[in-house]
């Protein structure tokens, strides 16, 4: 058996313990030694523990913004990427953003949610989103996704309770690596984050949602959280805001979500609705939205259904750069929510955190990246 210090270092970021042990075995390192190294990296934040060596991307920017619950921290990592397809233009790095958001739990306990990026830029082209304006530059590897957690946990020194894939990118456009990252983050010998505390948020790619339907039926995956960015109450408005809707409409979305509800044992799905004044905030929009949500309300005829299986999250629009629309006023947000309440829809209102530092929802995307390259949007056909 080789001595761990003599072999080429192997980073466990993005791997389950099992995968790591297999990889180490190929180099002649035994499972016990691999386990020690794995634990050192994920539990103590070690970057060197033979045979493990972790090279973390440099944090090139950091912003803090005080909010009611504590401090929102946005950090930007510079990924060195010497051989990706833009390097011929003389660019050999990519910048990605992550946000740590403090929350108050129901029992008054303070928790922290890490919002991670799954891509550099995004191909989905949603009109209201800052990241979309960059186009897609590239997808992240599982290791690069997990490195965001490692930095939050050990460089920022914050215990991370929840992880949401709501940073830059469309996770269903990079699902293999996102699944790998989740398998790593939930590994009980490593980061050990409960599956129920991880949420994938999507524009609603039906092909990806079908894969998730399959995945959540695998052992350990049932509780994976799911969020759909609906953002409109009818196909006309949705197609204007989100090109993906031309491929898969709201009826198809509702169908797959109902299928997912079956296999997820009635677990709640979060429906996100970015409220944009003059675009999707009419009383008639609230009525349509309530009608679309109906199948997710409590159904007394279904024995197993415990309550609402859809949770509506209204997010006041955060103006992107050069936005044609303003943020909604407090009154507009309340009027819209009241109208939904009148239909018996339970609404959660997302408090805006980090808007000043462009760290809020849909504001991730760096000016430097935007300047340099525009990759044509390739919405799937
Ligand atoms: N691509 C994924 C995840 C990233 S966006 C998705 O679409 O779900 C995460 C959330 O931020 C989505 O619900 C999205 O609708 C919302 N969002 C995007 N731009 C926004 C903006 N300018 N203001 C407020 N929320 C926004």
């Amino acid at each position: 058996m080789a001595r761990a210090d003599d072999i080429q270092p192997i980073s466990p970021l993005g791997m389950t313990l099992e995968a790591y042990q297999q990889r180490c075995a190929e180099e002649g390192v035994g499972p016990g030694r691999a386990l020690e190294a794995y634990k050192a990296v994920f539990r103590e934040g070690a970057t060197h523990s033979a045979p493990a060596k972790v090279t973390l991307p440099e944090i090139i920017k950091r912003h803090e913004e005080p909010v009611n619950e504590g401090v929102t921290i946005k950090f930007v990592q510079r990924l060195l990427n010497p051989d990706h397809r833009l390097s011929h233009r003389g660019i050999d790095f990519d910048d990605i953003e992550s946000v740590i958001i403090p929350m108050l739990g129901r029992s008054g306990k303070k928790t922290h949610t890490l919002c991670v990026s799954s891509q550099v830029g995004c191909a989905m082209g949603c009109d209201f989103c800052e990241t979309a304006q960059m186009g897609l530059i590239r997808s992240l590897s599982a290791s690069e996704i997990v490195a965001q957690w490692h930095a939050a946990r050990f460089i920022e020194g914050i215990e991370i309770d929840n992880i949401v894939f709501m940073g830059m990118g469309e996770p269903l456009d990079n699902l293999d690596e996102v699944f790998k990252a989740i398998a790593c983050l939930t590994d009980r010998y490593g980061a050990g984050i409960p599956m129920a505390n991880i949420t994938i948020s999507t524009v609603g790619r039906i092909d990806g949602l079908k894969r998730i339907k399959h995945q959540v039926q695998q052992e350990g995956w049932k509780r994976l959280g799911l969020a759909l960015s609906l953002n409109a109450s009818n196909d006309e408005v949705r197609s204007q805001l989100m090109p993906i809707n031309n491929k898969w409409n709201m009826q198809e979305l509702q169908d797959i979500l109902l299928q997912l509800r079956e296999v997820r044992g009635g677990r709640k799905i979060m429906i996100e609705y970015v409220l944009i004044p003059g675009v999707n905030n009419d009383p008639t929009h609230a009525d349509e939205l309530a009608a679309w949500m109906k199948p997710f309300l409590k159904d007394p005829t279904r024995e197993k259904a415990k309550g609402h299986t859809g949770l509506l999250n209204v997010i006041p629009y955060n103006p992107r750069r050069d936005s044609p629309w303003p943020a909604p006023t407090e009154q507009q947000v309340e009027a819209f929510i009241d109208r939904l309440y009148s239909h018996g829809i339970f609404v959660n209102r997302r408090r805006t955190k980090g808007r000043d530092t462009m760290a809020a929802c849909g504001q991730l995307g760096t000016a430097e990246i935007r300047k340099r390259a525009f990759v044509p949007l390739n919405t799937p056909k």
Side-chain angles (χ1 to χ4, degrees):
M1 192 129 302
R3 287 195 37 218
D5 321 273
D6 296 340
I7 66 154
Q8 200 57 16
I10 311 161
S11 166
L13 287 190
M15 291 190 197
T16 58
L17 172 64
E18 197 187 336
Y20 191 61
Q21 284 174 324
Q22 264 171 25
R23 181 71 192 80
C24 285
E26 286 166 19
E27 305 295 331
V29 177
R33 188 75 197 90
L35 172 64
E36 289 312 310
Y38 194 85
K39 279 190 188 160
V41 167
F42 289 101
R43 302 222 174 139
E44 287 142 41
T47 48
H48 286 79
S49 176
K53 185 171 179 222
V54 171
T55 313
L56 287 170
E58 183 194 354
I59 295 184
I60 55 150
K61 240 190 280 168
R62 205 180 160 275
H63 290 290
E64 287 188 8
E65 187 177 330
V67 292
N68 284 343
E69 298 81 356
V71 184
T72 295
I73 302 168
K74 167 169 118 170
F75 59 90
V76 178
Q77 289 179 316
R78 175 151 294 175
L79 311 179
L80 294 178
N81 189 17
D83 52 15
H84 82 72
R85 62 201 169 84
L86 290 180
S87 60
H88 67 277
R89 296 182 210 184
I91 301 147
D92 55 5
F93 59 83
D94 292 313
D95 293 346
I96 50 153
E97 307 184 34
S98 320
V99 191
I100 304 169
I101 306 154
M103 308 247 184
L104 272 192
R106 248 178 240 136
S107 56
K109 186 182 165 259
K110 197 160 142 184
T111 63
H112 287 97
T113 296
L114 174 67
C115 180
V116 293
S117 295
S118 55
Q119 296 182 311
V120 186
C122 184
M124 295 298 116
C126 302
D127 207 6
F128 48 85
C129 178
E130 175 73 21
T131 308
Q133 313 306 309
M134 293 165 57
L136 176 66
I137 295 178
R138 71 174 176 93
S139 288
L140 298 182
S141 65
S143 159
E144 289 167 329
I145 294 170
V146 173
Q148 297 169 60
W149 170 83
H150 204 277
R153 175 68 192 87
F154 296 111
I155 299 179
E156 296 296 340
I158 294 178
E159 293 273 1
I160 300 297
D161 304 279
N162 302 288
I163 295 185
V164 294
F165 283 85
M166 297 185 187
M168 293 163 74
E170 166 55 36
L172 272 50
D173 206 13
N174 185 21
L175 205 45
D176 289 332
E177 297 303 308
V178 166
F179 280 163
K180 262 195 241 168
I182 294 174
C184 170
L185 291 164
T186 53
D187 195 296
R188 65 200 171 100
Y189 294 100
I193 298 178
M195 189 61 82
N197 294 9
I198 297 186
T199 299
I200 294 186
S201 178
T202 176
V203 293
R205 284 189 63 147
I206 302 262
D207 52 353
L209 286 167
K210 284 185 179 153
R211 286 189 59 194
I212 289 182
K213 181 180 158 194
H214 175 77
Q215 189 66 26
V216 295
Q217 295 176 74
Q218 310 307 306
E219 202 187 323
W221 286 78
K222 198 172 185 177
R223 293 168 189 277
L224 174 66
L226 196 59
L228 169 78
S229 298
L230 192 65
N231 299 336
S233 60
N234 63 53
D235 283 317
E236 197 190 329
V237 175
R238 193 165 196 268
S239 296
Q240 272 167 22
L241 293 175
M242 306 177 72
I244 194 77
N245 200 67
N246 293 306
K247 170 123 173 104
W248 290 296
N249 64 28
M250 290 176 59
Q251 182 57 54
E252 290 170 280
L253 274 176
Q254 195 188 60
D255 290 347
I256 182 84
L257 294 188
L258 290 171
Q259 291 172 33
L260 269 153
R261 172 167 78 183
E262 290 304 316
V263 299
R264 293 170 79 236
R267 264 175 202 85
K268 282 190 176 57
I269 170 150
M270 190 194 285
I271 308 293
E272 297 164 289
Y273 194 96
V274 177
L275 194 72
I276 312 175
V279 176
N280 63 4
N281 72 325
D282 271 10
T284 54
H285 293 142
D287 299 345
E288 286 172 340
L289 178 58
W292 189 89
M293 291 286 296
K294 265 267 140 63
F296 301 99
L297 298 189
K298 187 172 178 158
D299 178 355
T301 64
R302 285 168 46 95
E303 236 176 75
K304 274 194 343 208
K306 289 195 197 80
H308 296 332
T309 48
L311 184 63
L312 191 64
N313 221 313
V314 170
I315 313 171
Y317 171 62
N318 295 311
R320 60 165 166 84
R321 290 180 180 93
D322 309 322
S323 170
W325 315 290
T329 63
E330 191 55 35
Q331 258 182 338
Q332 285 171 319
V333 177
E334 269 167 27
F336 193 77
I337 290 179
D338 285 346
R339 184 92 179 187
L340 288 162
Y341 278 144
S342 74
H343 289 286
I345 305 283
F346 182 76
V347 187
N348 215 336
R349 174 178 174 183
R350 189 173 298 174
R351 298 282 152 190
T352 297
K353 292 172 195 161
R355 196 184 270 170
D356 289 355
T357 50
M358 291 295 279
C361 294
Q363 293 186 306
L364 301 182
T366 48
E368 301 89 276
I369 303 174
R370 288 190 59 196
K371 265 186 269 157
R372 60 166 144 106
F374 227 93
V375 179
L377 301 177
N378 63 358
T379 309
K381 286 175 199 82

